[in-house]
Amino acid sequence: MAAAAAAVAFMELALEQAKFAMDNLEVPVGCVIVEDGKVISSGSNKTNATRNATRHAEMEAVDALIREWQGMGLDQTNVAEKFARCDLYVTCEPCIMCAMALSILGIREVYFGCANDKFGGCGSIMSLHQSSSSSAELSGNEIPRPKGYKCTGGIMAEEAIALFKSFYEQGNPNAPKPHRPVRNSE
Amino acid sequence: MAWELSEVPSNLTHSIHDSTVDVIAAKIEPKLANGLIRQLNQACPLENLRHVKRVRRCNEFGEKSELSIILCLATGPENFSEMYPQDVKKIVDTYKLNPFLAKVARFSATSKELWEEQCKLWPTSYHPPHDLDGVSGCKENELPSIFDFMRTAIQLSEVGKNAAVIVDPSTMQIIAKATCGTFQHDDFKSNECAEGNADSPFSLLETTENKDRKFFLPGTHVSEFNSLNMVVSCINPWGWMKQRPSEQKSLHCEGGFPWHPLRHAAIVAIGKAAERDKALFPTIYSSTKPNSNGSMEYYSVDEPAKRLKVDRKDNEQSAHEACCNDLSETRPYLCTGFDIYLVWEPCSMCAMALVHQRFKRIFYAFPNPATGALGSVYRLHGEKSLNHHYSVFRIKVPEAYWNGPVGFSDKC
Ligand SMILES: [Zn+2]
Ligand SMILES: [Zn+2]
């Protein structure tokens, strides 16, 4: 029970990140990274501002952490050990790119809100969180096993979907919604 | 051996046997063939089976060839004699045909291998990719430049690194170049310095050197898992966790990171292309395309997504009117219409990044049997749910190119 309550609390913080994205006219997805019960990083989708469609919330949060850890002088081994103790809470199921990235980093656990039935890499389209999903016929000492992680979906999914809906209906500055003030952006 | 280009099909997944259609066919006298083809094409055209040939020729009995013709699609499982259309029935009666059930391929072949399989059932037509004159294919006259760009990518890649070159094929301009940034920048140099270091897998593999750059010669190592290509980040994405020997702090930080587990060549190149776009077109953003289109990029809730599609047309229209036309034409949305050349087949992270960034064509030289997402382990480009699809090509590099000392030292 306590774990479930904690998951909801962290997801609420992720949703705040998603709202932040929406305020910046980005598709509303947000995430937080948690180590030992503490939020150590957060990220929101920045694909429009960066003009780089790979700058998803997960990537933003991960980059902030790596930058911080490198600043502390941690090397690859230290950073890998760190990620192995981190959990990610993200409002929408990680896409195929992010799901693979989280495996590459060796993250411990992922909690997501709504499923991503177009690009989802944690069960919807591919299952990159399952370590067995890569080529099994290639064995040998040189090839490290793909790293899997535990993945739990459906945490505050309605809230995440509601954000998407309001983004598509109102948040988009070009969407026809005359009774709403149109956001202006530079 | 010459340079060769072949398309990596997006759908090997359905084997030939679960993608067939039943048709009703009949043996005919060869002299009747032309007339019957004409009549049947009118009475019962094979609308969605344009790749299927109407007539099959069998040479089973020596020199006497036998012809069979497709009458129509089989609509029911049994007793098909009653199921065919009136006009077809007339033809059957007139020529006293003996209809039988046959299977044909449902889809046109995407590879030569698949086509050969299909023809065992019933002949189909096949257009190799470079004969296609369309968005997805490559034109014959493009081949020299395609091979040139791949040479550029191979020359860029150092020992144990993938390399990516983004090209705008409409202007033949290189938009961005990158190599992996997963390890410290000077790793390999420091390995080189560690003389007599038997642990270093690289010291034995240094083949050509030019200035301070070592070229990575995949040569004999292709498709083998040896220590050389096991450090290529797309092949062994988890390899970053092992610290490399004799590593030292580097002042050189590309993209602000001395090393980064996710900075595979394609990801770095996409970042550079995005930076370039911002530098070239600093002001036009968010009021135009990126926002309206970008919304589709990440996620779509079904219902609003549909609405969005409708909206998008308006948006593009108004955006087009709002900002000046030449700008929106010279500045493609993300990497729409661009090609990317990769030395190694990308992993699923990189392959999906290329979907997100809307590339048109992906070219790679060496398959990645460990984690390759564009043919070797997965076929991401055949995934129907994605909102964007690119074509994937493999370039076979002649052995002489990587073995011979000529190519490399001359070119750089
Ligand atoms: Zn993602
Ligand atoms: Zn990769």
Side-chain angles (χ1 to χ4, degrees):
Chain A
M1 284 308 105
V8 167
F10 290 130
M11 193 58 82
E12 265 165 2
L13 296 174
L15 282 161
E16 257 167 49
Q17 290 296 316
K19 282 175 203 146
F20 176 78
M22 188 152 91
D23 290 343
N24 290 285
L25 306 173
E26 301 277 358
V27 176
V29 180
C31 70
V32 294
I33 295 177
V34 174
E35 184 194 22
D36 299 332
K38 276 199 301 241
V39 173
I40 55 167
S41 185
S42 62
S44 65
N45 183 34
K46 285 203 172 57
T47 51
N48 285 343
T50 57
R51 304 187 197 177
N52 180 339
T54 71
R55 297 313 300 169
H56 289 182
E58 298 93 321
M59 297 297 193
E60 291 290 323
V62 162
D63 278 10
L65 265 192
I66 291 177
R67 191 168 277 127
E68 187 190 321
W69 288 339
Q70 284 180 347
M72 290 161 58
L74 302 192
D75 63 16
Q76 275 100 326
T77 317
N78 303 143
V79 167
E81 283 164 7
K82 281 283 217 181
F83 274 119
R85 295 164 19 138
C86 286
D87 300 334
L88 172 88
Y89 293 79
V90 57
T91 55
C92 175
E93 177 188 351
C95 73
I96 290 164
M97 172 187 73
C98 292
M100 178 66 173
L102 294 166
S103 162
I104 293 173
L105 298 172
I107 203 138
R108 186 175 68 179
E109 238 177 283
V110 170
Y111 298 86
F112 64 82
C114 58
N116 185 340
D117 58 3
K118 294 251 178 349
F119 317 120
C122 294
S124 289
I125 306 300
M126 288 173 87
S127 293
L128 293 160
H129 62 297
Q130 286 168 357
S131 52
S132 55
S133 64
S134 187
S135 55
E137 71 271 18
L138 295 161
S139 52
N141 295 333
E142 297 211 72
I143 303 138
R145 305 276 87 207
K147 292 204 179 281
Y149 46 89
K150 199 178 154 215
C151 204
T152 313
I155 297 161
M156 303 186 78
E158 267 132 61
E159 285 83 346
I161 290 172
L163 275 182
F164 281 126
K165 286 194 170 161
S166 71
F167 174 78
Y168 288 125
E169 284 163 15
Q170 299 142 26
N172 189 325
N174 294 316
K177 267 271 165 163
H179 60 276
R180 283 221 148 213
V182 174
R183 285 171 214 268
N184 210 354
S185 59
E186 293 309 305
Chain B
M1 187 182 115
W3 289 73
E4 260 178 55
L5 180 78
S6 60
E7 181 158 14
V8 181
S10 60
N11 61 340
L12 269 193
T13 42
H14 10 221
S15 86
I16 179 93
H17 294 289
D18 44 53
S19 56
T20 60
V21 181
D22 288 341
V23 295
I24 299 169
K27 281 188 182 148
I28 53 166
E29 288 290 320
K31 59 177 189 219
L32 294 176
N34 282 337
L36 277 176
I37 290 174
R38 214 174 329 109
Q39 288 183 50
L40 282 166
N41 276 347
Q42 240 173 21
C44 196
L46 298 175
E47 284 297 356
N48 294 315
L49 297 172
R50 286 170 190 278
H51 57 284
V52 176
K53 304 216 163 147
R54 192 104 210 185
V55 171
R56 175 176 69 178
R57 182 187 298 270
C58 297
N59 284 320
E60 281 168 37
F61 308 105
E63 72 277 6
K64 191 181 166 241
S65 72
E66 216 170 52
L67 294 188
S68 301
I69 192 164
I70 297 175
L71 299 173
C72 59
L73 288 176
T75 45
E78 301 293 325
N79 290 334
F80 53 83
S81 52
E82 271 126 58
M83 317 286 278
Y84 29 81
Q86 205 57 40
D87 293 341
V88 176
K89 196 166 167 37
K90 229 182 267 171
I91 293 170
V92 171
D93 293 345
T94 313
Y95 298 99
K96 300 198 167 53
L97 300 179
N98 235 335
F100 62 90
L101 212 55
K103 283 185 189 303
V104 302
R106 186 187 296 271
F107 306 107
S108 64
T110 47
S111 69
K112 199 158 173 274
E113 294 74 36
L114 201 56
W115 174 59
E116 282 163 0
E117 275 303 298
Q118 291 188 347
C119 290
K120 290 178 192 161
L121 293 173
W122 192 281
T124 57
S125 51
Y126 170 61
H127 303 283
H130 54 268
D131 286 350
L132 288 177
D133 192 60
V135 189
S136 65
C138 296
K139 294 173 196 157
E140 192 71 44
N141 62 8
E142 274 187 290
L143 290 180
S145 62
I146 285 172
F147 297 148
D148 263 350
F149 286 126
M150 184 53 84
R151 269 183 213 114
T152 308
I154 292 174
Q155 283 158 15
L156 185 68
S157 71
E158 301 160 45
V159 174
K161 286 192 176 190
N162 202 349
V165 176
I166 297 176
V167 173
D168 178 353
S170 66
T171 59
M172 301 290 252
Q173 198 184 0
I174 291 180
I175 302 294
K177 291 193 225 179
T179 58
C180 306
T182 42
F183 297 121
Q184 203 115 319
H185 183 256
D186 55 1
D187 281 358
F188 300 105
K189 222 184 267 173
S190 41
N191 272 323
E192 188 184 27
C193 296
E195 249 192 354
N197 182 355
D199 293 338
S200 165
F202 311 108
S203 47
L204 299 172
L205 295 158
E206 285 156 20
T207 33
T208 312
E209 196 166 335
N210 195 331
K211 290 169 195 161
D212 61 340
R213 162 170 294 179
K214 287 190 298 289
F215 292 114
F216 160 45
L217 306 178
T220 52
H221 317 293
V222 176
S223 84
E224 272 172 47
F225 282 91
N226 56 36
S227 48
L228 175 62
N229 51 35
M230 281 319 293
V231 299
V232 173
S233 52
C234 277
I235 294 184
N236 180 2
W238 299 275
W240 69 275
M241 294 183 183
K242 275 195 203 145
Q243 204 193 348
R244 317 230 58 81
S246 65
E247 200 154 88
Q248 33 182 270
K249 275 251 149 76
S250 166
L251 291 174
H252 178 96
C253 294
E254 199 181 41
F257 293 97
W259 53 271
H260 190 307
L262 304 180
R263 288 179 71 82
H264 293 193
I267 303 281
V268 180
I270 287 173
K272 286 184 175 174
E275 287 302 324
R276 175 187 176 273
D277 183 56
K278 275 167 86 173
L280 284 179
F281 308 99
T283 53
I284 47 155
Y285 125 77
S286 86
S287 62
T288 60
K289 287 183 177 178
N291 206 312
S292 52
N293 269 351
S295 311
M296 294 295 290
E297 207 61 49
Y298 206 114
Y299 181 86
S300 36
V301 195
D302 271 349
E303 195 217 347
K306 272 179 209 142
R307 190 173 313 144
L308 187 73
K309 267 183 198 158
V310 180
D311 290 348
R312 259 172 67 193
K313 275 188 196 148
D314 299 346
N315 288 342
E316 274 168 10
Q317 200 83 46
S318 59
H320 210 67
E321 285 159 15
C323 79
C324 72
N325 280 349
D326 16 334
L327 266 186
S328 57
E329 262 154 42
T330 52
R331 191 211 153 207
Y333 169 62
L334 300 173
C335 288
T336 304
F338 288 179
D339 297 337
I340 189 166
Y341 293 80
L342 297 163
V343 176
W344 295 93
E345 179 189 355
C347 70
S348 26
M349 174 180 73
C350 294
M352 189 63 203
L354 299 173
V355 174
H356 284 317
Q357 203 69 2
R358 306 287 177 98
F359 280 88
K360 181 174 127 196
R361 298 183 300 187
I362 317 299
F363 299 90
Y364 66 78
F366 304 108
N368 165 0
T371 61
L374 299 181
S376 294
V377 181
Y378 303 113
R379 262 167 221 278
L380 195 66
H381 53 307
E383 185 48 65
K384 292 214 166 54
S385 74
L386 303 180
N387 63 337
H388 172 74
H389 294 93
Y390 44 59
S391 319
V392 179
F393 300 89
R394 182 174 168 201
I395 293 174
K396 291 217 173 84
V397 181
E399 242 169 276
Y401 183 71
W402 66 60
N403 284 339
V406 196
F408 282 99
S409 35
D410 283 352
K411 278 274 173 179
C412 277

